[in-house]
Every structure is written in C-alpha cells, then in structure tokens.
Amino acid sequence: MDSLQAFLLGLVQGLTEYLPISSSGHLILASHLFGVEDSDNLAFTILVHVATVLSTVVILRREIAWIITDLLKFQMNEGTRYALCILISMIPIGIVGVFFKDVVEDIFGSGLLIVGLMLLLTAILLTFTHFARPRQKEKIGLPQAFVIGLAQACAVMPGLSRSGSTIAIGLLLGCRKEQMAQFSFLMVIPPILGEALLDGIKLIRGGVEAIATSIPTSSMIIGFLSAFVFGCLACKFMIGVVRRGKLIYFAAYCFIVGALVCLLA
C-alpha cells in the first residue's frame, strides 16, 4: 500500500463512516479498485476506524464531557439516562460480534454483489425516512435505543450504511432530528473500539512482523491522519444535514452506486 492509496482509503473511511453511504461497502469497493491485499486491509482497517472514533470524540467532546460528568455524580440524571440508552443500543451488535462474527466475515468475502444490494437497501430506507412523518418524541428512550441498536447490528452487512440505518430508524421512531445524528455517532464508539481490539489481537496472533513489513509506516500515518481529518469534517457536516432533513440526496447516491455495482459485479 503506497502513500496515495493510504490517503484515499483514509479519506473514504473518514467520509463514509458518517455520511449515510456505508463505510464498509466503500472500503471494499476502494480496496478492489486499488488492489489492496486482505492482510493490508485488516491492519489498515483497524487504524482508520480508531481514527474516526477520535474524530467523533473531538467533534462531540462537549456531549461526551457532559455524559461523563453526570455519570460521576452517581445518581440517575439526564447524562446517566443517555449513557444507559447507549449501553442498551450496544446489546444487539454485541450479540452479533460474539456469536456471528465468523458469519459476518464470510459475508464480507462473498464479493461485490452483496455490497451493491445493500447500497440499494440503504437508498430505500433513506427514501422512506424522507417521506415519513412520525409523531415526535421529546427524548430517546430505552425502547427506542434498543431498536436503533438492532439497526446498527443489521448494518454489519457490507453496503448497508450504519449511520444511515440508525439515523433513519431513529427518525421513523419519532426521535428528533437534532438528537439522532449525535446519538448515532456516540453509540458507535464502544463497538468500534471493541472490534478494533479484537482484530488487533487477531492481527498479533497472525504475526506482527509480516504485517509490519507489508505496510510502510508512512502509509499508516497518512491513512490515519486522512481518516481523522475527513472524519471530523464529515461528522460536523452530517449533524447539520440531519437537522435540515436532507437525507434524500444520499438516497439518490446510494441508488446510483448500488445499481452500478450490481451491474458490474
């Protein structure tokens, strides 16, 4: 993997992690386009996912500080309830990660057709959200958090956007626009870090020396910085997009790309 490939793949991850167009699907497409090997994919994917988590922490640092401050009061308050909602939302993805990880990995290796189909499903979901007008709820409750977590678990499918699925389901449940983007980005931090830790252990067991020699250090640094910078930009941009209700444009993009991938696959 050279520096240009690392920059472009980091850019793809940083942008698509937050934009509702599927980061996993676009990374698979980009890796096929650039001819990046699977061993490179594992090491690089860990790195850029950690970079996007850090970008979330930077953009939503005030909200994270608020949650931590309320938790340290050791009483039931708004921050504690919010943290409970995030915890509840993690249950489905945790079950998938523990019991169905091998199945998910097999799906990721099944080719580009599944990516195209899931991009089309993302387009349908975003389109439906655009026209639906559910009754608005004041706050995200535990039942809504669990259902949104189910959407996140389904989004392990390559091409099915995690942010698109969770935000769309939240809006369909009546959650307010200004809340959903923030909740969607915060709820993914623990699962991404957990997955990166497990993949890191797998990588170490597979042989650190082989990975270290296959990926130049400069490429790793460039990919990390690219994912972090563009992740910050995309996170802030997406929060504004959700508030303005402009998800239909991403539905059109997913439909076009998904249709092309299905045809070419």
Side-chain angles (χ1 to χ4, degrees):
M1 180 186 298
D2 59 33
S3 297
L4 179 59
Q5 289 175 333
F7 173 80
L8 293 176
L9 288 173
L11 182 152
V12 169
Q13 169 62 28
L15 291 179
T16 58
E17 181 63 41
Y18 301 101
L19 302 182
I21 54 178
S22 178
S23 61
S24 60
H26 278 74
L27 276 179
I28 291 174
L29 295 175
S31 297
H32 274 78
L33 179 64
F34 299 144
V36 178
E37 298 296 329
D38 290 340
S39 59
D40 285 1
N41 270 342
L42 179 57
F44 193 79
T45 298
I46 295 172
L47 191 71
V48 295
H49 273 82
V50 172
T52 50
V53 166
L54 290 179
S55 67
T56 306
V57 173
V58 169
I59 298 300
L60 297 177
R61 58 190 179 278
R62 294 180 181 177
E63 290 78 6
I64 294 173
W66 162 65
I67 294 172
I68 295 175
T69 300
D70 274 11
L71 283 173
L72 292 177
K73 294 178 181 177
F74 299 103
Q75 62 185 20
M76 186 56 66
N77 48 43
E78 289 300 315
T80 303
R81 291 188 185 91
Y82 200 92
L84 283 175
C85 287
I86 292 177
L87 182 63
I88 292 296
S89 74
M90 291 167 50
I91 294 175
I93 192 67
I95 293 174
V96 171
V98 172
F99 296 104
F100 302 102
K101 185 173 178 62
D102 292 339
V103 176
V104 173
E105 290 178 350
D106 289 340
I107 294 174
F108 268 79
S110 60
L112 294 180
L113 181 59
I114 187 66
V115 176
L117 293 174
M118 290 300 103
L119 282 170
L120 291 176
L121 181 58
T122 299
I124 293 172
L125 184 60
L126 293 175
T127 301
F128 188 68
T129 303
H130 179 75
F131 293 104
R133 294 293 182 269
R135 183 177 179 181
Q136 295 290 297
K137 294 179 175 61
E138 186 64 26
K139 298 177 182 178
I140 299 173
L142 296 181
Q144 289 82 25
F146 183 77
V147 176
I148 295 169
L150 289 174
Q152 177 170 253
C154 292
V156 298
M157 297 290 289
L160 184 58
S161 170
R162 188 209 63 83
S163 62
S165 299
T166 54
I167 291 173
I169 293 300
L171 295 178
L172 291 173
L173 291 173
C175 301
R176 291 188 297 163
K177 295 176 181 178
E178 55 269 24
Q179 293 179 333
M180 265 319 301
Q182 173 183 303
F183 185 77
S184 174
F185 298 153
L186 288 175
M187 67 183 282
V188 77
I189 293 178
I192 285 182
L193 290 179
E195 183 182 7
L197 177 61
L198 293 176
D199 285 341
I201 294 173
K202 178 180 177 180
L203 192 64
I204 292 173
R205 289 177 177 175
V208 179
E209 293 182 359
I211 298 300
T213 55
S214 65
I215 307 176
T217 303
S218 58
S219 295
M220 298 290 279
I221 295 174
I222 290 172
F224 180 89
L225 293 176
S226 177
F228 174 76
V229 171
F230 287 102
C232 288
L233 295 174
C235 182
K236 193 169 184 178
F237 171 75
M238 191 60 195
I239 291 174
V241 167
V242 176
R243 287 174 178 171
R244 294 190 296 271
K246 301 297 184 181
L247 294 176
I248 190 63
Y249 299 113
F250 296 103
Y253 172 85
C254 288
F255 179 81
I256 294 172
V257 175
L260 289 174
V261 171
C262 288
L263 290 174
L264 294 176

